[in-house]
Amino acid sequence: MYKIVKKRELNPTVTLMEVEAPAVAGKAQPGQFIILRVDAGGERIPLTIADFDRERGTVSIIFQIVGATTEKLNHRQEGDYIQDFVGPLGVPTHTEGLKKAAVVGGGVGCAIAYPVAKKLYEQGCEVHSIVGFRSRELVILEREFEAVSSRLCRMSDDGSFGEKGLVTDALRGLIESGEKYDRVIAIGPLVMMKFVCKLTKEFDIPTTVSMNPIMIDGTGMCGGCRLSLIRDGRRVTKFACVDGPDFDGFEVDFDEAMARGSMYRDFERHAHEETCNLFKGVENHA
Amino acid sequence: MPNMSLKKNEMPSQEPQVRSRNFEEVALGYTEEQAIDEARRCLNCKNKPCVGGCPVNIMIPEFIAKMAEGDFEGAYQVIAKSSALPAVCGRVCPQESQCEKYCVRGIKGEPVGIGRLERFAADWHNEHVSEAPIRPGSNGHKIAVIGSGPSGLTCAGDLARLGYEVTVFEALHTPGGVLVYGIPEFRLPKAIVQKEIEGLKAMGVRIETNMVIGRSLSIDELFGEGFEAVFIGSGAGLPRFMNIPGENLKGVYSANEFLTRVNLMKAYLPGSDTPIQRGKRVAVVGGGNVAMDAARCAKRLGAEEVYIVYRRSEAELPARAEEVEHAKEEGIVFRLLNNPKEILGDGTGSVRGMECLEMELGEPDASGRRRPVEKAGSEFVLDVDCVIMAIGTSPNPLIKSTTEGLETQSWGGIIVNEETGLTSRPGVYAGGDAVTGAATVILAMGAGKAAAKAIHRQLSGEEA
Ligand SMILES: Cc1cc2nc3c(=O)[nH]c(=O)nc-3n(C[C@H](O)[C@H](O)[C@H](O)COP(=O)(O)OP(=O)(O)OC[C@H]3O[C@@H](n4cnc5c(N)ncnc54)[C@H](O)[C@@H]3O)c2cc1C
Ligand SMILES: Cc1cc2nc3c(=O)[nH]c(=O)nc-3n(C[C@H](O)[C@H](O)[C@H](O)COP(=O)(O)OP(=O)(O)OC[C@H]3O[C@@H](n4cnc5c(N)ncnc54)[C@H](O)[C@@H]3O)c2cc1C
Ligand code: SF4
Ligand code: SF4
Ligand code: FES
């Protein structure tokens, strides 16, 4: 059992929790994730390690309430326990050698992008962060991003936060104004990542995306998290939990990933009527 | 005078129409009378051919002789000298290609039901005898076991009995390996596995779930924490796919995913949070135990039609004979000498069918079995909405890729000394599917035993 030592609402549908998990905290690297089960009989769901404190043995997760399990998790309070919490899983994000990078986060994807931006910043890389939200009430981690970015572009669909427009508009602006990035790291809804890659391909800037397919075990045993890369014209199957979650954005078959992501949509509607507002916001506009 | 009946005592079972709608155990087990009657079929052969067919050489005639006298606990004690998991192996061993294959009674008629008798003895013991667990004093040595499948559990148990402080690290939230996430309840009730695990805990074995070795901790870090030897029993969990078009459509599962959702995550129980597609028409590709289990689970989840699509013929089906028979009784349709060519989508990313080819058997291949070859122009479409791939698994590369100096075969199997299980790294042993590739429970258990012996020899200089 893993104790929740802190809980904070970041916006009406996004919550941060700090969980006591010394084994995970001891090894965690940005880009990795955990899998948790709220209670016995619950579903296993993956969440990114948003932050960790090796001394205190704690790991922070930031989750959006989208369905039954995240809803159940959100009902737990400080001092309560989570049944299972396993990690760190996945391959850490490669940040070696990057001197200047653009980090693009969409919606709750910002929670996944933040630890990467932080690591880049701490290793002396110039970080330009672009964060996009549907509207001001849904903004998360603004101050955190500010602290680790040499430049921060705020975007929103309705203009209530930063500039009105999509993250891709901001990124295009920066590139066209002559900013030269060693790499673009894009994390958010699949549609957003797809369009970021379309843009960066135009300018031939290497781009990493973070894939979040449906997972169960997270150890490479079920293949449920598989996705296709198109490499030299050939289709290659990869397992996001062990080969990823980061992939070369120019290789990912986003359309297939989007289709697979909707596999249990009808089943989950039962559990939770609302679909994710943030993700929907970006999807509608991309 | 032995019982000269040519037939085994029939196994009482749930009726096919009833059991294909529930997840309760299919085979109900012999009664005491049936067990004694079956035991009396054994001729107590001097040269014991059956024993040579058992991978762990259970003293078969000796235990059966006790059963014939009605001394079921005595029979259990004989078995327990060689096997740590008789209640499991009695149920799932492919007896027809092991012990029973060599039984002289099988020359004319059916062999003695050795597996069924073994199961009876183990179940009888579990029901009637509650031993106070023996918890030996610690000898101060710490051993780490990776994985809680049959190989890991056996290795842990044998070492704990010798006084070692054993910690088992398991990646999933429930220990048991394939016995828990793969083999379904109706073939191996989870309570049996649970009992084995409780027994180990009572002996002082620590089981740490949610620990992925290679991620949460590396093997080098285990040594750093004071473990003096490590046993790798991480199985062969990495599912293979066919690499045919359409394999990533919605509704295509690996058998591991499908079975994990059903067994480990209990998707079959009402109220489970874990979703599963309840296909109406399901094709399972493959012919082994895994394929049979997936097909029978799909049927129990309510599928109208379930096909086994296998590219060779009936004689080559690698599954246990009993499972094939049970699957047929439950109405699973066998499409033998058929091979998938492409999985067809419905335009929205879901499965609408599977294009297959007919095959014929040609010359024998490397495995000695006749190689299936495609019949040109024999394409046809099987009308299905769900496809489950059960075409094999290989060892997961996670441990290899995070352990320097651990040598493996090109296909991922860890290279070991066959007798001791010692790997290319000092103090690191391995066994079970992680070494052999997907095999059997009994072989995994035997490998766990052998490694426990070798670890004891390494650390104490004594024979176990
Ligand atoms: C490696 C990885 C890291 C992730 N990190 C985070 C994170 O840091 N914060 C966060 O809020 N979410 C993250 N996710 C997504 C998170 O796992 C899902 O939101 C969660 O599983 C939903 O569970 P649920 O039971 O509440 O919703 P469900 O009832 O299962 O689903 C509700 C809706 O969410 C969709 N959905 C289900 N699973 C996923 C998924 N894995 N990814 C995207 N959509 C999904 C469903 O199609 C459905 O529309 C991550 C996913 C992966 C694979
Ligand atoms: C569906 C199915 C049906 C089968 N039916 C039969 C049958 O009827 N008869 C028969 O004899 N055999 C059968 N088998 C095969 C048999 O189950 C296996 O050969 C046997 O379980 C192998 O045991 P093992 O101990 O090597 O590994 P496993 O049982 O595979 O256990 C390995 C364990 O290690 C854990 N693990 C893996 N990696 C790590 C890591 N990095 N860190 C920590 N833990 C890790 C896994 O989660 C798992 O729990 C079947 C297999 C399947 C899948
Ligand atoms: S363990 Fe398996 S092979 Fe050995 S006697 Fe028992 S059923 Fe036969
Ligand atoms: S071969 Fe058959 S009859 Fe002979 S001892 Fe073994 S089980 Fe008994
Ligand atoms: S989640 Fe099962 S293989 Fe990746």
Side-chain angles (χ1 to χ4, degrees), chain A residues 139-262:
Chain A
V139 172
I140 58 169
L141 301 174
E142 183 183 4
R143 239 174 298 141
E144 285 81 352
F145 266 104
E146 231 166 46
V148 300
S149 311
S150 352
R151 195 162 173 178
L152 177 63
C153 301
R154 302 167 176 82
M155 304 298 291
S156 61
D157 296 358
D158 62 2
S160 59
F161 168 72
E163 291 203 16
K164 186 174 156 102
L166 300 169
V167 288
T168 38
D169 301 334
L171 182 60
R172 178 176 288 282
L174 288 170
I175 297 170
E176 285 179 349
S177 74
E179 301 283 1
K180 294 257 179 291
Y181 300 113
D182 303 334
R183 183 166 288 273
V184 171
I185 297 175
I187 306 174
L190 288 169
V191 227
M192 180 204 100
M193 294 193 285
K194 175 179 167 175
F195 282 96
V196 167
C197 292
K198 221 173 138 196
L199 170 67
T200 52
K201 182 105 210 184
E202 258 179 61
F203 297 94
D204 217 11
I205 311 168
T207 303
T208 302
V209 296
S210 177
M211 300 299 287
N212 48 13
I214 289 163
M215 293 186 176
I216 312 185
D217 57 297
T219 66
M221 181 268 278
C222 75
C225 64
R226 68 191 185 276
L227 51 91
S228 296
L229 303 183
I230 312 290
R231 190 172 279 170
D232 308 322
R234 287 192 36 235
R235 191 166 279 274
V236 194
T237 298
K238 292 281 170 188
F239 291 0
C241 67
V242 284
D243 301 320
D246 289 353
F247 290 95
D248 177 345
F250 296 162
E251 293 184 340
V252 172
D253 181 343
F254 284 103
D255 295 333
E256 180 187 278
M258 280 185 244
R260 284 185 65 78
S262 68

Side-chain angles (χ1 to χ4, degrees), chain A residues 27-33 48-49 88-96 112 116 119 208-211 215 218 238-247, chain B residues 214-215 398 401-402:
Chain A
K27 297 279 288 204
Q29 300 282 344
Q32 290 186 294
F33 62 95
T48 303
I49 296 170
L89 301 170
V91 182
T93 302
H94 293 295
T95 55
E96 305 83 59
I112 306 176
V116 177
K119 179 170 183 198
T208 302
V209 296
S210 177
M211 300 299 287
M215 293 186 176
K238 292 281 170 188
F239 291 0
C241 67
V242 284
D243 301 320
D246 289 353
F247 290 95
Chain B
R215 293 270 194 251
L398 193 56
S401 67
T402 53

Side-chain angles (χ1 to χ4, degrees), chain B residues 112-166:
Chain B
V112 174
I114 302 171
R116 293 172 181 182
L117 291 173
E118 179 175 333
R119 163 187 169 157
F120 183 86
D123 287 355
W124 194 93
H125 170 84
N126 284 343
E127 201 177 311
H128 294 92
V129 184
S130 60
E131 298 152 295
I134 314 156
R135 192 170 178 160
S138 163
N139 65 14
H141 294 292
K142 282 172 60 183
I143 315 287
V145 169
I146 304 171
S148 60
S151 67
L153 293 179
T154 305
C155 186
D158 280 12
L159 288 169
R161 246 171 254 125
L162 292 165
Y164 290 91
E165 289 179 27
V166 185

Side-chain angles (χ1 to χ4, degrees), chain B residues 50 60 63-64 99-100 103 112-119:
Chain B
C50 49
I60 294 167
F63 101 73
I64 296 184
C99 51
E100 293 180 19
C103 174
V112 174
I114 302 171
R116 293 172 181 182
L117 291 173
E118 179 175 333
R119 163 187 169 157

